[in-house]
Amino acid sequence: MRRAPSILHLDLDAFFAAVEQRDKPSLRGKPVVVGGIGRRGVVSTASYEARVFGVRSAMSAGEAHRLAPHAAFLGGRFEAYWQSSRIVMALLGELSPRVQALSLDEAFVDLEHTAAPVDSVDGLVEFAEELRAELSQRTLGLTASVGIGTSKLMAKVASELAKPDGVRVVPAGQEATTLAPLSVRAIPGVGPVTHDKLALLGLRTVADVQQASLSELVREVGSSWGAELYELAWGRDDRPVEGQRDAKSISQETTFEYDATDRAWLEAKLDADAAHVCQRLRKHGQFARTIQIKVRFGDFTTWTRSRTLQGATDEPHRVAQVARSLLAQVDVNRGIRLLGVGVSGFVAAAQEELFLVEGDGDGAGTESSAAADSGDAFGDGPFGRRRGESYWPGADVEHDELGRGWVWGTGLGRVTVRFETRDVPSGPVRSFAVDDPQLHPVGPLPMPADQPPDSV
């Protein structure tokens, strides 16, 4: 355990929904749900205004719509979220050389050997407030909750206690008392299964676990996890903040004795290689965002292709799925001498692929809308988006005459657009044919050039 609170945890508040409200002024102060607009969709993020109605992450689309029928249900704009995330992570990198990004909206920062006043609680609060103000300025209004403690556990707990849009510092020596009143789910690694096992023993709060005997915990959840659970309940956590690993990629490739032309056999090889790569990935405690295949033909020419996910994974079936789709672009009849799978773009935690577009029927006669009062039907894809679809609720568009806006709703061959941006609020709403030559999908507006902070 560190003798002073020198680990910082930053968590952007309702990140995806906050980016949408920032970029869509008409949605500010209103309930917004990102994801969950397809019949089989799942909520990614709900704004705090939507959470008042009980909408939560990982909730089904139908349940979210039932609880908040008048909320704006939007598909994802991963490029916009990635754009803001890069700004935040760059800012954290200016604080310390050791930043451990957990996802797009969350990171640990090691404050040891920095200018942070780790020996003063008041000084740390001021430091964190300056950081949050700089972050809000650079991201044009996003907010973050910051926790600082003597360990990663306590920093994470502190940021949860600070939500939303606040700061919490847990001084050295106050770890156990801070944890005691919290649910056992506050302990990292306690999922539904462990929670239910502990509940059968009457252990529902961290204080209950603190008072339990080590032998009782070991008997119920196993020797290794029982001992770790006991230590964590008392706030004892020595996990380091891990910066970017030296390894940039992990790969597995095979050279065949004879040139292969059987696609099914080659796909089976990809499956095996993907499993091996993911085994090594998990050994390093990492998740990958980019998947690549390498193909060498019989004439020794080499072909590589990669795909970057809208998330991060260590799942063999997902890596194999992407690798197979890349192999589909290859004419295997040329004869393949070498085949390999690689992963890169490592992060320290999985980021669910919330905006994965999958085919799910032709969607004929359906309508997908940002606001429930403009239509109650859902799009057929997981997020109201079918493969290759250009328009979905929340998507950025531009009209040759009327300028930039975003998709308010789609369906029945029509696209309804609200013409506004974060700089030009509350514009008109107009509908167009889906094939209108003057209407085009576009990416998010660029963020203004960053200026290094004078002091953070």
Side-chain angles (χ1 to χ4, degrees):
M1 293 293 297
R2 299 189 179 193
R3 296 184 178 182
S6 59
I7 295 180
L8 179 149
H9 180 262
L10 181 141
D11 196 351
L12 291 162
D13 298 318
F15 178 47
F16 298 159
V19 171
E20 299 297 345
Q21 290 177 316
R22 179 197 66 190
D23 294 348
K24 300 173 172 62
S26 62
L27 299 182
R28 294 172 188 170
K30 298 180 181 179
V32 173
V33 179
V34 178
I37 64 174
R39 287 190 180 93
R40 297 186 300 170
V42 176
V43 173
S44 160
T45 304
S47 69
Y48 286 98
E49 296 87 353
R51 296 181 192 187
V52 171
F53 297 98
V55 181
R56 295 290 184 269
S57 299
M59 178 178 286
S60 70
E63 180 68 6
H65 223 274
R66 185 187 67 80
L67 292 172
H70 300 296
F73 286 78
L74 308 177
R77 294 188 305 135
F78 188 82
E79 186 178 352
Y81 311 144
W82 182 244
Q83 182 186 64
S84 291
S85 176
R86 287 198 305 266
I87 292 172
V88 173
M89 297 306 166
L91 172 60
L92 297 181
E94 294 171 10
L95 298 181
S96 170
R98 194 168 290 275
V99 176
Q100 183 177 353
L102 302 180
S103 61
L104 291 178
D105 59 346
E106 185 180 6
F108 286 110
V109 182
D110 193 333
L111 299 179
E112 281 194 338
H113 312 299
T114 71
V118 296
D119 293 325
S120 167
V121 171
D122 290 341
L124 282 173
V125 170
E126 183 179 357
F127 174 87
E129 292 291 10
E130 291 177 358
L131 168 62
R132 294 189 327 113
E134 181 65 27
L135 182 151
S136 184
Q137 179 180 348
R138 293 196 190 189
T139 60
L140 302 178
L142 299 184
T143 65
S145 298
V146 171
I148 304 176
T150 53
S151 66
K152 291 169 77 171
L153 166 65
M154 295 314 303
K156 170 72 171 177
V157 167
S159 70
E160 288 295 323
L161 296 174
K163 283 186 171 292
D165 193 20
V167 173
R168 179 73 177 265
V169 177
V170 178
Q174 295 187 18
E175 294 86 359
T177 55
T178 300
L179 289 168
L182 304 180
S183 164
V184 292
R185 293 297 296 269
I187 300 175
V190 176
V193 174
T194 302
H195 175 270
D196 292 346
K197 288 182 178 180
L198 295 176
L200 290 175
L201 299 175
L203 308 179
R204 293 180 172 82
T205 68
V206 178
D208 295 332
V209 179
Q210 291 172 348
Q211 299 307 311
S213 68
L214 177 59
S215 60
E216 184 179 28
L217 294 175
V218 167
R219 183 176 64 252
E220 192 62 31
V221 300
S223 58
S224 177
W225 178 216
E228 183 178 358
L229 179 63
Y230 185 80
E231 292 296 305
L232 291 173
W234 287 99
R236 296 191 280 265
D237 174 22
D238 60 0
R239 293 173 298 158
V241 177
E242 298 176 347
Q244 185 175 1
R245 302 292 180 93
D246 292 336
K248 302 297 183 181
S249 65
I250 296 174
S251 63
Q252 174 75 16
E253 57 189 42
T254 304
T255 300
F256 308 130
E257 185 176 359
Y258 301 102
D259 294 348
T261 58
D262 186 326
R263 184 174 295 276
W265 186 83
L266 290 166
E267 288 178 342
K269 291 296 183 184
L270 285 178
D271 291 349
D273 286 349
H276 185 79
V277 165
C278 288
Q279 183 180 33
R280 293 165 60 191
L281 195 60
R282 288 173 173 174
K283 182 179 180 181
H284 289 288
Q286 295 285 66
F287 300 81
R289 294 190 64 244
T290 299
I291 298 167
Q292 175 180 288
I293 69 168
K294 177 180 178 181
V295 177
R296 181 166 295 151
F297 297 101
D299 61 0
F300 288 89
T301 60
T302 301
W303 183 95
T304 61
R305 289 293 185 275
S306 65
R307 179 174 302 164
T308 298
L309 307 178
Q310 294 183 346
T313 187
D314 66 350
E315 293 294 333
H317 76 273
R318 181 60 180 140
V319 174
Q321 180 187 43
V322 174
R324 282 171 173 245
S325 70
L326 295 172
L327 183 65
Q329 304 172 34
V330 178
D331 178 9
V332 300
N333 292 322
R334 291 178 56 184
I336 294 178
R337 181 180 181 83
L338 175 148
L339 182 65
V341 178
V343 294
S344 59
F346 298 150
V347 295
Q351 177 71 36
E352 187 177 358
E353 290 187 78
L354 300 165
F355 312 115
L356 182 65
V357 179
E358 300 256 326
D360 185 30
D362 59 13
T366 65
E367 181 170 351
S368 173
S369 177
D373 55 9
S374 63
D376 61 358
F378 301 133
D380 275 354
F383 286 84
R385 298 170 60 179
R386 291 172 290 279
R387 188 179 303 278
E389 188 175 28
S390 298
Y391 303 118
W392 66 90
D396 293 304
V397 295
E398 185 168 16
H399 190 272
D400 292 343
E401 294 181 1
L402 298 174
R404 291 185 65 105
W406 57 279
V407 175
W408 180 259
T410 65
L412 305 175
R414 306 287 291 175
V415 181
T416 301
V417 177
R418 177 177 285 278
F419 287 96
E420 66 174 359
T421 69
R422 61 177 179 247
D423 303 318
V424 183
S426 302
V429 176
R430 300 284 187 271
S431 292
F432 308 90
V434 72
D435 58 355
D436 190 314
Q438 291 190 299
L439 188 66
H440 319 282
V442 293
L445 283 172
M447 299 291 285
D450 294 336
Q451 296 295 327
D454 293 331
S455 61
V456 175

